[in-house]
Structure formats: C-alpha cells, structure tokens
Amino acid sequence: MKKILISLAILLPLLLSAAENKDTTFTYKPNFHATIRARAEYSTTQKEYRFQIRNARATIDGRIMPQIDYFINADLSDAGKFKMLDIWARFKDSHGFSVQAGQFRLPFGVDPFRAPHQYFFSNRSFIGKQMCNYRAVGLKLGYQLPKLPLSFDISAFSPTAIGDHSPWQKKAIWAGEAIWKHKTLTISGGMASVRPSGMRANIIGSCISWKPDRWIIEGEYMHKHYVDKQHTPAHAWNIFGVYRFPIRMGIFNFMSAEARFDGMTRHSGLTPDDQGRLNTDDTARKRITAGLMISHFRSNNTYADIRLDYEKYFYRSGFTPTPEQGDKLTLELVLRF
C-alpha cells in the first residue's frame, strides 16, 4: 500500500504540470440524464408478488475545460431508498495520463461497473451484486498507451462506508486493472484488496467480451481469498449471450433475446454494501436466466425497453429460499433519457 501511495504522490505533480489548455473557445455545458426502472415481480416458488421502482437515477456530467470533467450520480429511489452514489472530478492530459478523485466504484470488474440502463437482465449477476459491489472515496490514476489499445488503472480508497468520510485510517483498500480492446474483442483483468467488516480480502478477476455484429458474448470470473483464513475462499462466474436485431412493431424498432448462466460459492456474509450495511445473502447458488426485450431506440441516451425475464435458481439440498432468493418472473420497463 505504501508503494501505491508513493506512486500516486510522484505521478500527480507530473499530471498537473502536463496540463495544456489550448482551446480558449471551449464552452461549459453540463449534460443531464435519467434512468427509470419500474417493475413487477412474481415469485413462482412462494406465489408472492411485489411492485418496485428499482431505480430512479439522475446523473450530471460535463467538462469545465477539455482536460477536466466531472460526474455526479444519485439514485432518487433504489427500491424506495435514496442513495448518493458517485461524485468525482477527473483530469486527463494529452499524453494518456489521468487522475480521478472523489467517490466512485473500485476500478475492477466488468459487470459490477454497469449502470442500470446498461443491464442486460433485470437483476445483476452475483459478481456484480454479492461478490464485488464496492464504492468508496479515494484517488485513481490511469494511463492509456499511445500506440496500443491497452489501458491501466490503479487506485487507493478509504475502507469506510461512503456515508462517512470523517474517520482517519491506518489501512486502505485498493484496486488495479488492465484493459485491452481490439475491434470487437475486449479482455480485462485485475485485482482488488478490500476490508469487509475489518477482514482483509483479496479478489482477482478477468473478463472476455466479444461483440460481433448483433451479438454480445461475455464471460467473467472472480476469486476472493480471505487473509489469515478468516473465511473459506469464494468463486463466482457470469456467462451470458445477447442477440439484438431490428424489428417493426408499432413504436418498437429492436428486439433482444438473452440467456445467462451465473453462480457463486458461499462467501462471507460480512461484506458491506455501498451504505455499509452487511450482506447476509451469502448462500452458494447457481442460476439460469432467460429473457426477451423489445425497445424503442433513438440513441444511447434516449430509449425505452420492455423486458421479460425468468430466473431459475439451484441451491444445495434442504435450503429453502426466500422470494428474493428463489425462482421469479420479472416484467420491467426501462426508460433512459
């Protein structure tokens, strides 16, 4: 950790000294976006239902100059609760270096980084929800190689929940990742070291994404190891495919068919979420998800989706899942504007 902090201290002045603002005609203009996910769910095992505003998310982003941008992201309703999620500012120079400071997700993993309007299924993968769901306050350095499609991120964060920035710390959490992109193929890998409830856990992961023509095919794996054997190691995986094609059906102009197989072994139920609340949903499970979606698509930030998903869970013999943990049918409306 000391080496990481020393690297940050050395590189930060270099980044600032490289700033060049040659565009004196740059105009400040913030962008405002919102995502609404409203849904109805039916538990096919317990024969119960519920309605939710799963997300009502609002974002503001923009630049105050060509080299400096910012991002503010809040959930006005996350299943009925308000959450302040991301607040950061970032500086990028002309040589591929960047420094980002504020509150944001650890730069590690692919599915954990997807925003609600980018989900392919109604519910996140176990990798994205249970295995690596970390936001924190900290600092991130990035570098994009000038002649290769390869980028690197390394970061250090406070281990406290994002709702409390005051405590002084002796130990930090950190994460780093490398991403290689070439045409339709993306390969990434990295490591994170976190402290769930004071226990040190190290996570390694990798992901391969392939997006040929109308297809999206992706596989991601993570392994979590607890220092001093405080808990048994955990594994999680997420494999899915999406096929998207144009249609003519009233106002709808696209349709998607999706399938996913994901799962995880039992891991520590002491892992806190973004708000510091402990996650007790730690039972080993596997899941198969199948879905259909029709869309009215205008742009990446203006569209409407109607999604129907069915999830089939598999647990060890004798385990009785709650409606949240069991087989379910979900009908969801997603608006992005």
Side-chain angles (χ1 to χ4, degrees), residues 52-215:
Q52 282 187 326
I53 300 295
R54 185 60 187 86
N55 295 101
R57 187 165 294 192
T59 64
I60 305 173
D61 66 83
R63 297 180 180 274
I64 64 169
M65 59 181 63
Q67 297 89 354
I68 300 177
D69 64 336
Y70 61 89
F71 183 70
I72 301 172
N73 183 31
D75 239 329
L76 307 181
S77 176
D78 181 342
K81 301 177 180 63
F82 175 85
K83 290 183 180 180
M84 194 70 228
L85 299 174
D86 302 283
I87 311 172
W88 54 257
R90 178 173 57 187
F91 166 81
K92 288 185 177 182
D93 78 346
S94 59
H95 305 291
F97 287 100
S98 67
V99 59
Q100 179 176 320
Q103 177 175 296
F104 47 92
R105 280 197 179 277
L106 273 66
F108 173 69
V110 174
D111 206 57
F113 250 82
R114 291 190 168 105
H117 69 282
Q118 298 169 324
Y119 294 168
F120 297 107
F121 302 88
S122 298
N123 291 309
R124 290 174 290 172
S125 67
F126 301 131
I127 279 179
K129 185 175 182 180
Q130 275 92 0
M131 193 73 167
C132 186
N133 184 18
Y134 289 94
R135 272 187 175 88
V137 180
L139 189 68
K140 179 176 76 172
L141 292 180
Y143 179 62
Q144 172 69 58
L145 291 177
K147 296 183 180 181
L148 291 175
L150 182 63
S151 62
F152 300 91
D153 289 313
I154 188 168
S155 58
F157 296 87
S158 170
T160 57
I162 60 176
D164 187 3
H165 304 176
S166 299
W168 292 85
Q169 304 292 331
K170 291 186 177 181
K171 298 182 182 294
I173 65 177
W174 59 270
E177 190 170 39
I179 302 173
W180 180 81
K181 294 183 179 181
H182 180 66
K183 296 182 179 179
T184 61
L185 183 65
T186 302
I187 301 175
S188 63
M191 181 176 179
S193 184
V194 298
R195 289 178 57 82
S197 193
M199 297 188 301
R200 175 70 66 177
N202 298 321
I203 314 171
I204 59 173
S206 61
C207 181
I208 299 177
S209 299
W210 186 39
K211 300 179 181 180
D213 195 20
R214 298 176 180 179
W215 284 92

Side-chain angles (χ1 to χ4, degrees), residues 289-310:
T289 308
L292 285 173
M293 183 172 69
I294 55 175
S295 307
H296 171 71
F297 182 83
R298 295 181 59 188
S299 71
N300 288 333
N301 279 309
T302 308
Y303 57 84
D305 297 330
I306 297 178
R307 174 186 292 129
L308 180 65
D309 280 353
Y310 176 69

Side-chain angles (χ1 to χ4, degrees), residues 251-291:
I251 65 171
F252 300 103
N253 54 9
F254 279 93
M255 177 175 283
S256 302
E258 301 102 3
R260 174 180 66 185
F261 174 56
D262 67 331
M264 68 177 188
T265 59
R266 186 177 183 274
H267 68 103
S268 171
L270 298 178
T271 303
D273 65 10
D274 289 338
Q275 304 298 317
R277 297 173 301 210
L278 296 183
N279 168 38
T280 58
D281 187 15
D282 64 346
T283 306
R285 82 285 304 272
K286 302 178 182 69
R287 174 176 59 184
I288 294 175
T289 308

